[in-house]
mmCIF file of all heavy atoms in Angstrom:
data_model
loop_
_atom_site.group_PDB
_atom_site.id
_atom_site.type_symbol
_atom_site.label_atom_id
_atom_site.label_comp_id
_atom_site.label_asym_id
_atom_site.label_seq_id
_atom_site.Cartn_x
_atom_site.Cartn_y
_atom_site.Cartn_z
ATOM 1 N N SER A 1253 0.830 -1.206 0.000
ATOM 2 C CA SER A 1253 0.000 0.000 0.000
ATOM 3 C C SER A 1253 0.863 1.253 0.000
ATOM 4 O O SER A 1253 0.547 2.247 -0.674
ATOM 5 C CB SER A 1253 -0.932 -0.008 1.219
ATOM 6 O OG SER A 1253 -1.853 -1.076 1.159
ATOM 7 N N THR A 1254 1.964 1.228 0.759
ATOM 8 C CA THR A 1254 2.872 2.375 0.773
ATOM 9 C C THR A 1254 3.488 2.606 -0.599
ATOM 10 O O THR A 1254 3.636 3.753 -1.044
ATOM 11 C CB THR A 1254 3.979 2.157 1.818
ATOM 12 O OG1 THR A 1254 3.379 1.937 3.105
ATOM 13 C CG2 THR A 1254 4.890 3.370 1.901
ATOM 14 N N ASP A 1255 3.838 1.533 -1.287
ATOM 15 C CA ASP A 1255 4.385 1.666 -2.632
ATOM 16 C C ASP A 1255 3.381 2.317 -3.576
ATOM 17 O O ASP A 1255 3.750 3.159 -4.421
ATOM 18 C CB ASP A 1255 4.789 0.297 -3.179
ATOM 19 C CG ASP A 1255 6.010 -0.274 -2.470
ATOM 20 O OD1 ASP A 1255 6.756 0.526 -1.861
ATOM 21 O OD2 ASP A 1255 6.207 -1.500 -2.522
ATOM 22 N N LYS A 1256 2.109 1.950 -3.445
ATOM 23 C CA LYS A 1256 1.089 2.525 -4.314
ATOM 24 C C LYS A 1256 0.858 4.002 -4.009
ATOM 25 O O LYS A 1256 0.639 4.809 -4.922
ATOM 26 C CB LYS A 1256 -0.214 1.735 -4.176
ATOM 27 C CG LYS A 1256 -0.096 0.321 -4.741
ATOM 28 C CD LYS A 1256 -1.296 -0.530 -4.400
ATOM 29 C CE LYS A 1256 -1.092 -1.955 -4.918
ATOM 30 N NZ LYS A 1256 -2.187 -2.858 -4.549
ATOM 31 N N ILE A 1257 0.933 4.363 -2.705
ATOM 32 C CA ILE A 1257 0.811 5.772 -2.337
ATOM 33 C C ILE A 1257 1.995 6.566 -2.881
ATOM 34 O O ILE A 1257 1.837 7.655 -3.453
ATOM 35 C CB ILE A 1257 0.722 5.922 -0.812
ATOM 36 C CG1 ILE A 1257 -0.631 5.420 -0.302
ATOM 37 C CG2 ILE A 1257 0.919 7.379 -0.390
ATOM 38 C CD1 ILE A 1257 -1.800 6.278 -0.696
ATOM 39 N N ASN A 1258 3.189 6.028 -2.712
ATOM 40 C CA ASN A 1258 4.388 6.712 -3.206
ATOM 41 C C ASN A 1258 4.393 6.821 -4.728
ATOM 42 O O ASN A 1258 4.957 7.764 -5.287
ATOM 43 C CB ASN A 1258 5.642 5.981 -2.731
ATOM 44 C CG ASN A 1258 5.843 6.078 -1.225
ATOM 45 O OD1 ASN A 1258 5.367 7.033 -0.594
ATOM 46 N ND2 ASN A 1258 6.525 5.112 -0.645
ATOM 47 N N GLY A 1259 3.772 5.856 -5.400
ATOM 48 C CA GLY A 1259 3.660 5.943 -6.849
ATOM 49 C C GLY A 1259 2.606 6.934 -7.303
ATOM 50 O O GLY A 1259 2.694 7.486 -8.405
ATOM 51 N N PHE A 1260 1.599 7.184 -6.463
ATOM 52 C CA PHE A 1260 0.527 8.109 -6.819
ATOM 53 C C PHE A 1260 0.957 9.570 -6.646
ATOM 54 O O PHE A 1260 0.474 10.453 -7.372
ATOM 55 C CB PHE A 1260 -0.701 7.819 -5.954
ATOM 56 C CG PHE A 1260 -1.928 8.607 -6.321
ATOM 57 C CD1 PHE A 1260 -2.654 8.284 -7.458
ATOM 58 C CD2 PHE A 1260 -2.359 9.661 -5.540
ATOM 59 C CE1 PHE A 1260 -3.777 9.000 -7.803
ATOM 60 C CE2 PHE A 1260 -3.481 10.375 -5.875
ATOM 61 C CZ PHE A 1260 -4.199 10.049 -7.006
ATOM 62 N N ARG A 1261 1.846 9.839 -5.698
ATOM 63 C CA ARG A 1261 2.268 11.225 -5.438
ATOM 64 C C ARG A 1261 2.935 11.881 -6.638
ATOM 65 O O ARG A 1261 2.597 13.026 -6.987
ATOM 66 C CB ARG A 1261 3.197 11.242 -4.219
ATOM 67 C CG ARG A 1261 2.471 11.015 -2.895
ATOM 68 C CD ARG A 1261 3.449 10.884 -1.755
ATOM 69 N NE ARG A 1261 2.760 10.715 -0.474
ATOM 70 C CZ ARG A 1261 3.370 10.399 0.654
ATOM 71 N NH1 ARG A 1261 4.692 10.225 0.664
ATOM 72 N NH2 ARG A 1261 2.683 10.259 1.768
ATOM 73 N N PRO A 1262 3.894 11.219 -7.314
ATOM 74 C CA PRO A 1262 4.470 11.851 -8.510
ATOM 75 C C PRO A 1262 3.434 12.111 -9.605
ATOM 76 O O PRO A 1262 3.555 13.075 -10.359
ATOM 77 C CB PRO A 1262 5.525 10.843 -8.978
ATOM 78 C CG PRO A 1262 5.865 10.051 -7.764
ATOM 79 C CD PRO A 1262 4.599 9.961 -6.986
ATOM 80 N N LYS A 1263 2.413 11.246 -9.682
ATOM 81 C CA LYS A 1263 1.347 11.476 -10.651
ATOM 82 C C LYS A 1263 0.640 12.802 -10.384
ATOM 83 O O LYS A 1263 0.360 13.565 -11.311
ATOM 84 C CB LYS A 1263 0.320 10.337 -10.598
ATOM 85 C CG LYS A 1263 0.747 9.058 -11.284
ATOM 86 C CD LYS A 1263 -0.410 8.073 -11.290
ATOM 87 C CE LYS A 1263 -0.020 6.782 -11.991
ATOM 88 N NZ LYS A 1263 -1.150 5.821 -12.001
ATOM 89 N N VAL A 1264 0.353 13.056 -9.094
ATOM 90 C CA VAL A 1264 -0.334 14.295 -8.739
ATOM 91 C C VAL A 1264 0.524 15.500 -9.115
ATOM 92 O O VAL A 1264 0.025 16.508 -9.639
ATOM 93 C CB VAL A 1264 -0.663 14.305 -7.238
ATOM 94 C CG1 VAL A 1264 -1.283 15.639 -6.834
ATOM 95 C CG2 VAL A 1264 -1.616 13.166 -6.892
ATOM 96 N N GLN A 1265 1.818 15.436 -8.849
ATOM 97 C CA GLN A 1265 2.710 16.536 -9.219
ATOM 98 C C GLN A 1265 2.763 16.724 -10.730
ATOM 99 O O GLN A 1265 2.766 17.865 -11.227
ATOM 100 C CB GLN A 1265 4.106 16.256 -8.660
ATOM 101 C CG GLN A 1265 4.162 16.182 -7.135
ATOM 102 C CD GLN A 1265 5.527 15.778 -6.620
ATOM 103 O OE1 GLN A 1265 6.447 15.526 -7.398
ATOM 104 N NE2 GLN A 1265 5.670 15.726 -5.302
ATOM 105 N N LEU A 1266 2.803 15.624 -11.465
ATOM 106 C CA LEU A 1266 2.813 15.713 -12.924
ATOM 107 C C LEU A 1266 1.503 16.281 -13.446
ATOM 108 O O LEU A 1266 1.493 17.109 -14.376
ATOM 109 C CB LEU A 1266 3.061 14.329 -13.521
ATOM 110 C CG LEU A 1266 3.160 14.235 -15.052
ATOM 111 C CD1 LEU A 1266 4.330 15.076 -15.561
ATOM 112 C CD2 LEU A 1266 3.297 12.791 -15.494
ATOM 113 N N TRP A 1267 0.386 15.864 -12.857
ATOM 114 C CA TRP A 1267 -0.907 16.409 -13.259
ATOM 115 C C TRP A 1267 -0.971 17.910 -13.011
ATOM 116 O O TRP A 1267 -1.555 18.652 -13.800
ATOM 117 C CB TRP A 1267 -2.025 15.701 -12.494
ATOM 118 C CG TRP A 1267 -2.189 14.262 -12.862
ATOM 119 C CD1 TRP A 1267 -1.650 13.623 -13.945
ATOM 120 C CD2 TRP A 1267 -2.947 13.277 -12.152
ATOM 121 N NE1 TRP A 1267 -2.014 12.297 -13.951
ATOM 122 C CE2 TRP A 1267 -2.810 12.049 -12.871
ATOM 123 C CE3 TRP A 1267 -3.708 13.290 -11.005
ATOM 124 C CZ2 TRP A 1267 -3.410 10.878 -12.460
ATOM 125 C CZ3 TRP A 1267 -4.318 12.126 -10.585
ATOM 126 C CH2 TRP A 1267 -4.171 10.926 -11.313
ATOM 127 N N HIS A 1268 -0.397 18.332 -11.874
ATOM 128 C CA HIS A 1268 -0.389 19.761 -11.546
ATOM 129 C C HIS A 1268 0.357 20.556 -12.613
ATOM 130 O O HIS A 1268 -0.090 21.637 -13.042
ATOM 131 C CB HIS A 1268 0.255 19.960 -10.171
ATOM 132 C CG HIS A 1268 0.155 21.374 -9.668
ATOM 133 N ND1 HIS A 1268 1.127 22.313 -9.909
ATOM 134 C CD2 HIS A 1268 -0.815 22.001 -8.947
ATOM 135 C CE1 HIS A 1268 0.783 23.463 -9.351
ATOM 136 N NE2 HIS A 1268 -0.394 23.298 -8.769
ATOM 137 N N GLN A 1269 1.479 20.035 -13.083
ATOM 138 C CA GLN A 1269 2.235 20.710 -14.133
ATOM 139 C C GLN A 1269 1.455 20.743 -15.442
ATOM 140 O O GLN A 1269 1.461 21.753 -16.159
ATOM 141 C CB GLN A 1269 3.574 20.004 -14.340
ATOM 142 C CG GLN A 1269 4.496 20.056 -13.121
ATOM 143 C CD GLN A 1269 5.756 19.225 -13.320
ATOM 144 O OE1 GLN A 1269 5.967 18.640 -14.388
ATOM 145 N NE2 GLN A 1269 6.586 19.154 -12.285
ATOM 146 N N HIS A 1270 0.774 19.649 -15.752
ATOM 147 C CA HIS A 1270 -0.006 19.602 -16.988
ATOM 148 C C HIS A 1270 -1.179 20.577 -16.940
ATOM 149 O O HIS A 1270 -1.495 21.221 -17.951
ATOM 150 C CB HIS A 1270 -0.519 18.180 -17.227
ATOM 151 C CG HIS A 1270 0.550 17.242 -17.688
ATOM 152 N ND1 HIS A 1270 0.299 15.910 -17.968
ATOM 153 C CD2 HIS A 1270 1.871 17.427 -17.920
ATOM 154 C CE1 HIS A 1270 1.422 15.324 -18.351
ATOM 155 N NE2 HIS A 1270 2.393 16.229 -18.324
ATOM 156 N N VAL A 1271 -1.831 20.679 -15.781
ATOM 157 C CA VAL A 1271 -2.965 21.601 -15.661
ATOM 158 C C VAL A 1271 -2.502 23.040 -15.832
ATOM 159 O O VAL A 1271 -3.183 23.867 -16.473
ATOM 160 C CB VAL A 1271 -3.662 21.402 -14.300
ATOM 161 C CG1 VAL A 1271 -4.682 22.502 -14.042
ATOM 162 C CG2 VAL A 1271 -4.362 20.050 -14.250
ATOM 163 N N GLU A 1272 -1.336 23.369 -15.265
ATOM 164 C CA GLU A 1272 -0.815 24.731 -15.413
ATOM 165 C C GLU A 1272 -0.522 25.069 -16.871
ATOM 166 O O GLU A 1272 -0.642 26.224 -17.289
ATOM 167 C CB GLU A 1272 0.453 24.893 -14.576
ATOM 168 C CG GLU A 1272 0.187 24.937 -13.073
ATOM 169 C CD GLU A 1272 1.461 25.162 -12.280
ATOM 170 O OE1 GLU A 1272 2.554 24.942 -12.844
ATOM 171 O OE2 GLU A 1272 1.354 25.570 -11.102
ATOM 172 N N SER A 1273 -0.148 24.055 -17.661
ATOM 173 C CA SER A 1273 0.118 24.276 -19.081
ATOM 174 C C SER A 1273 -1.133 24.134 -19.942
ATOM 175 O O SER A 1273 -1.061 24.229 -21.160
ATOM 176 C CB SER A 1273 1.192 23.301 -19.569
ATOM 177 O OG SER A 1273 0.746 21.951 -19.431
ATOM 178 N N GLY A 1274 -2.304 23.863 -19.299
ATOM 179 C CA GLY A 1274 -3.561 23.764 -20.029
ATOM 180 C C GLY A 1274 -3.903 22.385 -20.530
ATOM 181 O O GLY A 1274 -4.850 22.222 -21.312
ATOM 182 N N ASN A 1275 -3.186 21.357 -20.081
ATOM 183 C CA ASN A 1275 -3.440 19.979 -20.502
ATOM 184 C C ASN A 1275 -4.314 19.283 -19.462
ATOM 185 O O ASN A 1275 -3.928 19.144 -18.300
ATOM 186 C CB ASN A 1275 -2.117 19.235 -20.674
ATOM 187 C CG ASN A 1275 -2.317 17.828 -21.218
ATOM 188 O OD1 ASN A 1275 -3.432 17.395 -21.477
ATOM 189 N ND2 ASN A 1275 -1.224 17.115 -21.406
ATOM 190 N N LEU A 1276 -5.501 18.834 -19.870
ATOM 191 C CA LEU A 1276 -6.449 18.192 -18.942
ATOM 192 C C LEU A 1276 -6.771 16.753 -19.360
ATOM 193 O O LEU A 1276 -7.854 16.253 -19.069
ATOM 194 C CB LEU A 1276 -7.745 19.006 -18.873
ATOM 195 C CG LEU A 1276 -7.631 20.440 -18.373
ATOM 196 C CD1 LEU A 1276 -8.971 21.146 -18.489
ATOM 197 C CD2 LEU A 1276 -7.138 20.487 -16.933
ATOM 198 N N GLU A 1277 -5.834 16.106 -20.034
ATOM 199 C CA GLU A 1277 -6.108 14.762 -20.527
ATOM 200 C C GLU A 1277 -6.371 13.768 -19.406
ATOM 201 O O GLU A 1277 -7.101 12.796 -19.595
ATOM 202 C CB GLU A 1277 -4.925 14.280 -21.372
ATOM 203 C CG GLU A 1277 -4.769 15.012 -22.687
ATOM 204 C CD GLU A 1277 -3.630 14.457 -23.514
ATOM 205 O OE1 GLU A 1277 -2.937 13.543 -23.015
ATOM 206 O OE2 GLU A 1277 -3.437 14.918 -24.651
ATOM 207 N N MET A 1278 -5.752 13.977 -18.230
ATOM 208 C CA MET A 1278 -5.944 13.036 -17.127
ATOM 209 C C MET A 1278 -7.309 13.209 -16.459
ATOM 210 O O MET A 1278 -7.765 12.339 -15.736
ATOM 211 C CB MET A 1278 -4.818 13.183 -16.103
ATOM 212 C CG MET A 1278 -4.860 14.457 -15.261
ATOM 213 S SD MET A 1278 -4.662 16.004 -16.168
ATOM 214 C CE MET A 1278 -3.031 15.795 -16.842
ATOM 215 N N PHE A 1279 -7.986 14.338 -16.691
ATOM 216 C CA PHE A 1279 -9.306 14.610 -16.108
ATOM 217 C C PHE A 1279 -10.325 14.562 -17.238
ATOM 218 O O PHE A 1279 -10.601 15.581 -17.893
ATOM 219 C CB PHE A 1279 -9.323 15.962 -15.405
ATOM 220 C CG PHE A 1279 -8.355 16.051 -14.261
ATOM 221 C CD1 PHE A 1279 -7.593 17.188 -14.066
ATOM 222 C CD2 PHE A 1279 -8.202 14.999 -13.382
ATOM 223 C CE1 PHE A 1279 -6.707 17.283 -13.005
ATOM 224 C CE2 PHE A 1279 -7.322 15.076 -12.328
ATOM 225 C CZ PHE A 1279 -6.560 16.223 -12.135
ATOM 226 N N THR A 1280 -10.898 13.387 -17.458
ATOM 227 C CA THR A 1280 -11.742 13.147 -18.627
ATOM 228 C C THR A 1280 -12.978 14.039 -18.644
ATOM 229 O O THR A 1280 -13.265 14.708 -19.643
ATOM 230 C CB THR A 1280 -12.172 11.673 -18.673
ATOM 231 O OG1 THR A 1280 -11.020 10.837 -18.583
ATOM 232 C CG2 THR A 1280 -12.924 11.374 -19.955
ATOM 233 N N LEU A 1281 -13.718 14.067 -17.538
ATOM 234 C CA LEU A 1281 -14.960 14.839 -17.498
ATOM 235 C C LEU A 1281 -14.681 16.335 -17.573
ATOM 236 O O LEU A 1281 -15.435 17.085 -18.219
ATOM 237 C CB LEU A 1281 -15.734 14.507 -16.221
ATOM 238 C CG LEU A 1281 -16.207 13.057 -16.076
ATOM 239 C CD1 LEU A 1281 -16.958 12.863 -14.776
ATOM 240 C CD2 LEU A 1281 -17.086 12.656 -17.257
ATOM 241 N N THR A 1282 -13.602 16.782 -16.933
ATOM 242 C CA THR A 1282 -13.255 18.203 -16.981
ATOM 243 C C THR A 1282 -12.896 18.620 -18.399
ATOM 244 O O THR A 1282 -13.304 19.690 -18.874
ATOM 245 C CB THR A 1282 -12.087 18.498 -16.031
ATOM 246 O OG1 THR A 1282 -12.402 18.012 -14.723
ATOM 247 C CG2 THR A 1282 -11.815 19.983 -15.951
ATOM 248 N N MET A 1283 -12.123 17.779 -19.072
ATOM 249 C CA MET A 1283 -11.757 18.080 -20.453
ATOM 250 C C MET A 1283 -12.990 18.057 -21.351
ATOM 251 O O MET A 1283 -13.142 18.889 -22.253
ATOM 252 C CB MET A 1283 -10.724 17.067 -20.943
ATOM 253 C CG MET A 1283 -10.192 17.358 -22.337
ATOM 254 S SD MET A 1283 -8.845 16.249 -22.820
ATOM 255 C CE MET A 1283 -9.746 14.688 -22.859
ATOM 256 N N GLN A 1284 -13.902 17.114 -21.079
ATOM 257 C CA GLN A 1284 -15.134 17.044 -21.858
ATOM 258 C C GLN A 1284 -15.977 18.303 -21.646
ATOM 259 O O GLN A 1284 -16.511 18.872 -22.600
ATOM 260 C CB GLN A 1284 -15.932 15.802 -21.449
ATOM 261 C CG GLN A 1284 -17.270 15.661 -22.144
ATOM 262 C CD GLN A 1284 -18.073 14.498 -21.596
ATOM 263 O OE1 GLN A 1284 -17.603 13.737 -20.767
ATOM 264 N NE2 GLN A 1284 -19.300 14.367 -22.050
ATOM 265 N N TRP A 1285 -16.056 18.738 -20.389
ATOM 266 C CA TRP A 1285 -16.826 19.947 -20.095
ATOM 267 C C TRP A 1285 -16.188 21.166 -20.760
ATOM 268 O O TRP A 1285 -16.885 22.021 -21.320
ATOM 269 C CB TRP A 1285 -16.911 20.166 -18.588
ATOM 270 C CG TRP A 1285 -17.450 21.521 -18.225
ATOM 271 C CD1 TRP A 1285 -16.742 22.603 -17.788
ATOM 272 C CD2 TRP A 1285 -18.809 21.944 -18.300
ATOM 273 N NE1 TRP A 1285 -17.571 23.668 -17.580
ATOM 274 C CE2 TRP A 1285 -18.851 23.294 -17.885
ATOM 275 C CE3 TRP A 1285 -19.982 21.313 -18.680
ATOM 276 C CZ2 TRP A 1285 -20.035 24.010 -17.843
ATOM 277 C CZ3 TRP A 1285 -21.159 22.035 -18.645
ATOM 278 C CH2 TRP A 1285 -21.184 23.364 -18.221
ATOM 279 N N GLN A 1286 -14.858 21.245 -20.724
ATOM 280 C CA GLN A 1286 -14.173 22.360 -21.343
ATOM 281 C C GLN A 1286 -14.423 22.387 -22.850
ATOM 282 O O GLN A 1286 -14.647 23.433 -23.438
ATOM 283 C CB GLN A 1286 -12.669 22.266 -21.064
ATOM 284 C CG GLN A 1286 -11.885 23.491 -21.581
ATOM 285 C CD GLN A 1286 -10.392 23.293 -21.416
ATOM 286 O OE1 GLN A 1286 -9.882 22.215 -21.679
ATOM 287 N NE2 GLN A 1286 -9.693 24.326 -20.976
ATOM 288 N N GLY A 1287 -14.423 21.174 -23.460
ATOM 289 C CA GLY A 1287 -14.669 21.113 -24.893
ATOM 290 C C GLY A 1287 -16.071 21.535 -25.254
ATOM 291 O O GLY A 1287 -16.295 22.290 -26.207
ATOM 292 N N VAL A 1288 -17.058 21.070 -24.497
ATOM 293 C CA VAL A 1288 -18.450 21.446 -24.743
ATOM 294 C C VAL A 1288 -18.640 22.931 -24.542
ATOM 295 O O VAL A 1288 -19.306 23.621 -25.335
ATOM 296 C CB VAL A 1288 -19.402 20.634 -23.853
ATOM 297 C CG1 VAL A 1288 -20.828 21.152 -23.967
ATOM 298 C CG2 VAL A 1288 -19.332 19.156 -24.195
ATOM 299 N N HIS A 1289 -18.051 23.474 -23.479
ATOM 300 C CA HIS A 1289 -18.204 24.884 -23.165
ATOM 301 C C HIS A 1289 -17.539 25.747 -24.232
ATOM 302 O O HIS A 1289 -18.089 26.778 -24.654
ATOM 303 C CB HIS A 1289 -17.605 25.181 -21.799
ATOM 304 C CG HIS A 1289 -17.858 26.575 -21.312
ATOM 305 N ND1 HIS A 1289 -19.125 27.101 -21.196
ATOM 306 C CD2 HIS A 1289 -17.004 27.557 -20.901
ATOM 307 C CE1 HIS A 1289 -19.060 28.337 -20.732
ATOM 308 N NE2 HIS A 1289 -17.761 28.633 -20.555
#
């Protein structure tokens, strides 16, 4: 379980960088809403 938590943390940091650059591929519904809007 600790390994899975430690593996999830870098994902969150990477997602944060992608969101700042305008990339929302990891958030399917958010990207879908942005496209519809």
Side-chain angles (χ1 to χ4, degrees):
S1253 296
T1254 303
D1255 290 339
K1256 292 170 183 177
I1257 289 291
N1258 292 334
F1260 186 74
R1261 287 173 178 171
K1263 283 186 179 180
V1264 176
Q1265 298 175 359
L1266 182 61
W1267 292 346
H1268 187 269
Q1269 296 174 2
H1270 286 180
V1271 170
E1272 288 183 342
S1273 62
N1275 185 0
L1276 299 175
E1277 291 183 357
M1278 72 296 298
F1279 298 138
T1280 307
L1281 297 180
T1282 307
M1283 185 174 65
Q1284 177 186 355
W1285 169 257
Q1286 185 186 42
V1288 172
H1289 187 56

